[in-house]
Amino acid sequence: MDNLLILERLGRLEKLLIGNKEVLTFDEACDYTGISRSYLYKLTASGKIPHSKPNGKMLFFEKKKLVNWLLQNKRKSPQDIEAEALAYTRRYKSHR
């Protein structure tokens, strides 16, 4: 990465940390999520990620909604699956 790009990203990250903003710009959302600019554009164009476009130009993202979107489709660990199976069998046995 070239030094200017690194300094720009560092500046945006600094703003995120200092401001603790609730609403992020497009570039801030890229930095916050780690999603590339091109992929984030695809996600917004297809409506797959929650965003706002108040003036019809700039994109904004609510941090809470981004976090919820990032954490969707959770995968259960083998321990979680085993615990659920055990709880289910105990419940089923008690109904017999």
Side-chain angles (χ1 to χ4, degrees), residues 55-81:
N55 307 0
K57 284 191 176 189
M58 288 186 68
L59 295 168
F60 295 95
F61 301 84
E62 190 177 338
K63 195 187 295 187
K64 287 180 191 175
K65 290 183 180 178
L66 276 179
V67 169
N68 289 336
W69 182 83
L70 288 168
L71 297 177
Q72 70 185 351
N73 299 326
K74 294 180 184 179
R75 302 293 186 241
K76 293 180 182 175
S77 70
Q79 293 82 9
D80 291 339
I81 294 169

Side-chain angles (χ1 to χ4, degrees), residues 5 8 12 26-28 30-31 34-44 59:
L5 184 59
E8 280 181 29
R12 288 196 304 265
F26 183 84
D27 287 331
E28 291 169 339
C30 288
D31 290 337
I35 296 173
S36 70
R37 292 177 56 87
S38 60
Y39 187 54
L40 190 57
Y41 272 123
K42 286 179 185 178
L43 291 170
T44 56
L59 295 168

